[in-house]
Amino acid sequence: MSAVFNFTFVPWFRSVAPYIHKFRNQTFVVGVCGEAIAAGKLAHIAQDLALIQSMGVKIVLVHGFRPQVNEQLQAKGHAAKYSHGLRITDEVALDSAQEAAGQLRYEIEAAFSQGLPNTPMAGSTVRVISGNFLTARPVGVLDGVDFQHSGMVRKVDVGGISRTLDFGAMVLLSPFGFSPTGEAFNLTMEEVATSVAIALQADKLIFLTEIPGIRVKPLDPEGEDNPIATELPLAAAEQLLSHLPSPQHPTDTAFYLQHCVQACKAGVERSHIIPFATDGSLMLEIYVHDGIGTMVVDEKLESLREATGDDVGGILQLIEPFENDGTLVKRGRTEIERDANLYTVVEHDGVIFACAALYPYPEAKTGEMAALTVSPQSQGQGDGEKILKRIEQRARANGLQSIFVLTTRAMHWFIKRGFVLVDPDWLPEARKRKYNWDRKSQVLVKKLG
Ligand SMILES: CC(C)(COP(=O)(O)OP(=O)(O)OC[C@H]1O[C@@H](n2cnc3c(N)ncnc32)[C@H](O)[C@@H]1OP(=O)(O)O)[C@@H](O)C(=O)NCCC(=O)NCCS
């Protein structure tokens, strides 16, 4: 074994441990679009889901089948028909959907049944259980278009799904539901996954999609200066949706986002859009701090917000003890009053519990996160991390490519969150002139990917 291996593998494995502990016994609803399966990604997705399940996560897997149904339709010489972004399911399309769903279920069950030695599935025992867990109702006639056998979820059998999950099985759902008269309705994977996540009050809803996530500037083309937004607060996501045209195709920005927002508003705290094209994207999103796609998160926005002039007193009260013991550099009231709009705060019931400021240096495309403070009675509950994420968002929105901090006491906190130590010479000229060499602060930088 290489001597370096121990020094990379062990810290790496330990860094994942908090996530493993946190997610044990949580419920994730994972919607996999049919395109992922058509692209030959099923084996790896199954391996990753089997591993995630083995770490105690309860998984409901919902598969899509858009390309598979279209393929069946084509074989029958029938064109796929859509309206309002939804399939019109006539008799032939219903037949095709049933055939495609049957075939996919077998393929998925087969993928979870593998267990060859020396593969990630060796020793895994995933029991996959499907069933009639969904009651559906017809979409009906919209603007004069009869959707025939296309349906919507009417009810989710929460008790049935929960008992199956408690029994240790993975629940597999096809986008089909039945009416009380026994009629089958073709549903969409996205609606099924969202309805099930809401009904179960799942901890996460994850869409494995053909898009990589939502970009920081959603309507601009991809590029280095337009990366994926790793976290989108619910309010920002809602605002974005209100400006986007109604989605017609799965690659439209609003297509998955609308479901994430719906789930978040109905109590599913975290919804994710991640790309199937990246191998292992599920693991990267769930077990790595910044993830790979976009997470829409309901972080109770009334408590995390940009500061105003009215917050100056609260900010001063919070940071003063840390200024006095030398953890933070002294800032006077006048300076904070002048810069109040650069601060982000966490407020509960009118009291400021955490804050940080972002001082941009646009000429160097970077910004300083300063005065990061969490009140001693609420440290260790993730507020520091919440503020950091918000500062990162503000920096991205300002077109900055990195943020930096100067710290004497909290270096490791930052390193754990993706910062790297650099020489003070790295600082933008304007900041270097103000650097206090006697204080010997360490300079840490985080690139905003
Ligand atoms: C550093 C600070 C902002 C972290 O805020 P927080 O809300 O407690 O942080 P989180 O809840 O997101 O993270 C808590 C984790 O950070 C660790 N941590 C807290 N302070 C730390 C420090 N100074 N150095 C290294 N790790 C630290 C905790 O032990 C905990 O680790 P765990 O998850 O392994 O249990 C907060 O401790 C603070 O305000 N400290 C005083 C002011 C300060 O030092 N600010 C930085 C100046 S640049």
Side-chain angles (χ1 to χ4, degrees):
M1 192 190 299
S2 123
V4 180
F5 181 74
N6 302 10
F7 297 102
T8 52
F9 176 77
V10 174
W12 165 80
F13 206 5
R14 284 183 183 146
S15 75
V16 178
Y19 298 103
I20 299 178
H21 296 309
K22 180 169 164 193
F23 297 141
R24 178 164 301 117
N25 280 323
Q26 291 201 351
T27 302
F28 295 179
V29 176
V30 182
V32 178
C33 66
E35 285 79 1
I37 301 169
K41 306 289 183 187
L42 179 58
H44 281 177
I45 294 171
Q47 285 169 7
D48 292 351
L49 286 173
L51 184 57
I52 295 166
Q53 197 201 27
S54 76
M55 292 187 278
V57 178
K58 299 173 183 176
I59 294 175
V60 178
L61 174 60
V62 187
H63 74 79
F65 56 7
R66 219 171 284 114
Q68 290 81 358
V69 175
N70 290 348
E71 207 176 285
Q72 298 274 0
L73 278 169
Q74 209 176 12
K76 295 182 169 81
H78 228 74
K81 287 180 245 162
Y82 294 93
S83 183
H84 302 70
L86 261 183
R87 185 187 293 283
I88 301 170
T89 312
D90 57 18
E91 288 296 334
V92 188
L94 182 65
D95 253 12
S96 303
Q98 285 172 343
E99 279 164 23
Q103 172 88 28
L104 280 176
R105 270 196 190 183
Y106 283 122
E107 283 179 29
I108 293 169
E109 285 175 14
F112 281 105
S113 306
Q114 295 168 34
L116 284 179
N118 296 327
T119 70
M121 293 296 278
S124 87
T125 45
V126 182
R127 201 51 65 236
V128 180
I129 295 186
S130 310
N132 54 343
F133 294 115
L134 304 171
T135 311
R137 63 178 173 81
V139 171
V141 179
L142 284 184
D143 302 325
V145 180
D146 184 355
F147 282 83
Q148 302 180 49
H149 300 283
S150 295
M152 312 267 288
V153 177
R154 170 180 279 176
K155 221 169 99 189
V156 176
D157 175 9
V158 175
I161 294 180
S162 302
R163 275 194 296 278
T164 312
L165 292 172
D166 289 344
F167 161 73
M170 184 181 297
V171 171
L172 170 63
L173 299 175
S174 295
F176 265 110
F178 302 93
S179 73
T181 55
E183 204 182 336
F185 286 101
N186 176 19
L187 311 172
T188 67
M189 173 278 277
E190 297 77 24
E191 204 231 340
V192 170
T194 307
S195 308
V196 172
I198 293 171
L200 295 177
Q201 286 292 287
D203 298 282
K204 280 185 189 300
L205 166 64
I206 304 174
F207 288 115
L208 205 52
T209 72
E210 49 278 77
I211 58 169
I214 309 293
R215 297 204 171 268
V216 171
K217 292 173 249 170
L219 299 177
D220 291 358
E222 66 171 283
E224 260 186 31
D225 61 339
N226 192 13
I228 297 298
T230 51
E231 200 172 313
L232 206 51
L234 176 58
E238 275 187 275
Q239 203 191 9
L240 169 60
L241 259 188
S242 67
H243 295 309
L244 291 171
S246 161
Q248 299 298 316
H249 305 286
T251 45
D252 292 343
T253 307
F255 191 83
Y256 292 102
L257 189 62
Q258 60 184 349
H259 297 286
C260 291
V261 165
Q262 190 194 345
C264 247
K265 280 169 78 174
V268 180
E269 256 182 46
R270 292 175 155 75
S271 312
H272 305 246
I273 302 170
I274 60 172
F276 68 73
T278 305
D279 188 25
S281 53
L282 276 165
M283 317 290 274
L284 289 167
E285 182 72 6
I286 297 172
Y287 297 108
V288 178
H289 178 251
D290 279 336
I292 185 173
T294 298
M295 171 167 80
V296 177
V297 57
D298 180 10
E299 54 191 9
K300 312 284 178 276
L301 272 167
E302 70 275 17
S303 69
L304 177 69
R305 59 175 175 76
E306 317 313 356
T308 69
D310 293 343
D311 298 315
V312 173
I315 294 174
L316 269 170
Q317 216 174 357
L318 172 70
I319 63 178
E320 230 161 36
F322 294 103
E323 290 182 344
N324 293 340
D325 77 3
T327 308
L328 298 177
V329 181
K330 272 210 187 307
R331 286 178 174 78
R333 175 179 277 273
T334 327
E335 188 183 330
I336 297 178
E337 264 166 6
R338 183 194 65 204
D339 300 335
N341 63 327
L342 302 179
Y343 279 77
T344 296
V345 293
V346 174
E347 178 217 301
H348 299 294
D349 296 332
V351 180
I352 309 269
F353 277 83
C355 73
L358 175 70
Y359 287 88
Y361 290 87
E363 68 287 356
K365 287 201 178 305
T366 187
E368 176 177 5
M369 179 167 69
L372 171 67
T373 313
V374 174
S375 110
Q377 74 259 43
S378 59
Q379 285 182 7
Q381 295 170 23
D383 280 347
E385 187 139 348
K386 243 190 233 172
I387 291 245
L388 166 62
K389 291 236 167 141
R390 176 56 72 89
I391 293 285
E392 288 176 14
Q393 271 165 16
R394 287 183 81 167
R396 282 197 188 95
N398 281 328
L400 307 182
Q401 292 169 353
S402 63
I403 53 171
F404 67 89
V405 291
L406 270 69
T407 183
T408 52
R409 311 264 170 101
M411 178 171 89
H412 288 103
W413 191 87
F414 292 108
I415 288 181
K416 222 174 142 185
R417 285 152 185 87
F419 284 77
V420 292
L421 198 57
V422 295
D423 192 89
D425 262 345
W426 179 95
L427 291 169
E429 277 311 315
R431 184 65 180 87
K432 219 186 303 182
R433 284 198 289 275
K434 286 190 282 174
Y435 181 81
N436 178 348
W437 293 91
D438 291 338
R439 204 172 139 81
K440 295 200 176 65
S441 299
Q442 274 139 340
V443 181
L444 293 120
V445 181
K446 180 168 184 179
K447 276 209 172 110
L448 304 173

